[in-house]
Amino acid sequence: MCKIECGGIVTIPFRHALCQMSICVKNRVFETEKIIVKDVVMDRIAGSGTFSSLKDPQWQTDEENVSVRFLEEPFQTGAHPEPAGKKWLLIPQEINTPLTVEFSFTVETGETITQRLKTIPLKMRLEAGKSYIMTLSIGIDDVKFLEEIIKDRFEK
């Protein structure tokens, strides 16, 4: 009936079967120091599965986990969060995995230290059609999710 009433046009709502994940990065160092992020990897996430659209759209993930690499080239951080690296389309799923971050920290005198650190496990449910941005805050010897830092300030 709507086809006739709407001039032959039928609107079909679209909901993406995947979700999107990306990162933003900032640093926690003095202006005279710098942090260059070389690599950000989500350690364990389901990379394949089976999609069923009927009755309710849902994914059944495979058992094998993969790593997801966000950076393709080094990224110099600033004092404010900035988008970095690649956006990934991922299968909706429950995740409980840390991110491994490799970066170099350079002091005012030019001395550089390379670090390879893990975040706390990221525990969340990724849902179809949603976009997620993880904001990493990098210090001299730690990497935290910005949410962790904010939460710590309010709990103390």
Side-chain angles (χ1 to χ4, degrees):
M1 193 67 135
C2 183
K3 183 177 175 183
I4 296 169
E5 294 170 358
C6 299
I9 299 172
V10 178
T11 305
I12 300 175
F14 175 78
R15 182 173 175 219
H16 209 292
L18 300 172
C19 62
Q20 184 180 62
M21 186 170 276
S22 61
I23 61 169
C24 283
V25 181
K26 71 175 285 306
N27 69 43
R28 286 180 281 115
V29 296
F30 296 113
E31 288 180 16
T32 56
E33 302 168 327
K34 71 178 178 179
I35 289 182
I36 296 177
V37 182
K38 298 176 180 179
D39 205 9
V40 177
V41 177
M42 182 174 288
D43 295 342
R44 296 177 315 276
I45 191 163
S48 62
T50 306
F51 180 71
S52 302
S53 59
L54 299 176
K55 168 178 176 185
D56 293 317
Q58 60 185 327
W59 280 95
Q60 180 64 42
T61 58
D62 294 339
E63 293 296 318
E64 187 176 336
N65 288 321
V66 298
S67 295
V68 173
R69 177 163 273 116
F70 287 93
L71 289 184
E72 295 175 343
E73 56 188 49
F75 179 82
Q76 184 165 340
T77 62
H80 303 286
E82 295 179 59
K86 185 175 180 180
K87 294 178 182 179
W88 281 94
L89 289 175
L90 302 171
I91 295 172
Q93 60 192 283
E94 294 279 340
I95 61 172
N96 182 2
T97 183
L99 272 66
T100 301
V101 181
E102 184 177 342
F103 63 93
S104 62
F105 167 65
T106 306
V107 295
E108 187 175 357
T109 60
E111 184 181 344
T112 299
I113 301 166
T114 299
Q115 297 273 38
R116 185 176 180 83
L117 304 172
K118 290 189 181 286
T119 65
I120 62 168
L122 181 61
K123 297 177 185 181
M124 62 188 300
R125 178 176 178 78
L126 303 178
E127 296 181 24
K130 294 195 175 178
S131 180
Y132 300 90
I133 301 171
M134 299 173 294
T135 302
L136 297 172
S137 179
I138 303 174
I140 298 167
D141 59 359
D142 68 356
V143 177
K144 295 184 176 188
F145 293 107
L146 192 58
E147 181 181 332
E148 259 183 278
I149 295 168
I150 294 167
K151 198 175 195 182
D152 285 348
R153 286 185 184 158
F154 286 119
E155 288 179 354
K156 290 181 180 178

